[in-house]
Amino acid sequence: MIEGHVTHAEQRGIHVLRYFGTVNFMLAPGIQRFVDDLIEHGSISGLVFDLSQANSLDSTNLGLMARVNERLLGVGAANSVIISGDGDIDVVLRSMGFDQTFDVLTTTPTTELAPAEPIRTESPSATELRETMLAAHQALVRMSDAGRLEFEPVVACLERSS
């Protein structure tokens, strides 16, 4: 299993988050902090989630993507794009309705980007991890009927643990 990490590059207001390896819930709070800072302090006209180098993503990271897209649309940015070259990840994205909410591409554009920098994802506190997981799963519930059916019990469990 390849340890997961995420990098960031930007060109003319379009930000690209590239996911590598196995990306699990422990990385989500750091990614959330990074994207929150971009939205609050940066100039962001669009966001690309490049999953072409990812082996797997868990539901927390999928929900984080949904939540980020909601926030970006709320501040007037373009709809987010997902690049996915992995058949298994593609199946999950489509089954959860990501293709109805995001622009999903299955090939990587050949546009040259600025050098990518790793996103710092140091260990989160238990409270930050729970809050990130809750917000991510709530976004999945809002995104589609499939998400609602699959993740309402997870949301209820996380809400009880607060």
Side-chain angles (χ1 to χ4, degrees), residues 53-71:
Q53 300 299 310
N55 297 358
S56 68
L57 276 78
D58 65 5
S59 60
T60 299
N61 280 284
L62 291 171
L64 175 62
M65 291 167 53
R67 183 170 181 267
V68 166
N69 193 49
E70 288 175 345
R71 288 198 61 212

Side-chain angles (χ1 to χ4, degrees), residues 28-153:
I31 298 166
Q32 182 67 60
R33 281 190 304 273
F34 181 83
V35 173
D36 285 347
D37 188 59
L38 277 179
I39 293 169
E40 292 168 22
H41 302 102
S43 171
I44 183 166
S45 58
L47 186 63
V48 176
F49 295 96
D50 182 348
L51 309 181
S52 63
Q53 300 299 310
N55 297 358
S56 68
L57 276 78
D58 65 5
S59 60
T60 299
N61 280 284
L62 291 171
L64 175 62
M65 291 167 53
R67 183 170 181 267
V68 166
N69 193 49
E70 288 175 345
R71 288 198 61 212
L72 288 172
L73 292 173
V75 297
N79 195 37
S80 297
V81 174
I82 297 175
I83 300 170
S84 173
D86 183 279
D88 291 339
I89 291 175
D90 257 6
V91 168
V92 170
L93 292 173
R94 292 185 195 292
S95 73
M96 295 300 300
F98 277 79
D99 58 327
Q100 297 171 21
T101 307
F102 290 78
D103 296 323
V104 179
L105 307 175
T106 55
T107 58
T108 305
T110 57
T111 306
E112 204 50 45
L113 289 173
E117 298 288 329
I119 293 176
R120 298 192 67 210
T121 54
E122 62 275 348
S123 294
S125 70
T127 299
E128 182 183 29
L129 184 58
R130 188 193 54 72
E131 288 172 359
T132 301
M133 291 174 71
L134 176 59
H137 287 86
Q138 287 170 330
L140 288 174
V141 167
R142 288 189 301 272
M143 191 174 71
S144 68
D145 286 339
R148 183 181 51 75
L149 291 171
E150 184 74 24
F151 296 108
E152 272 185 341

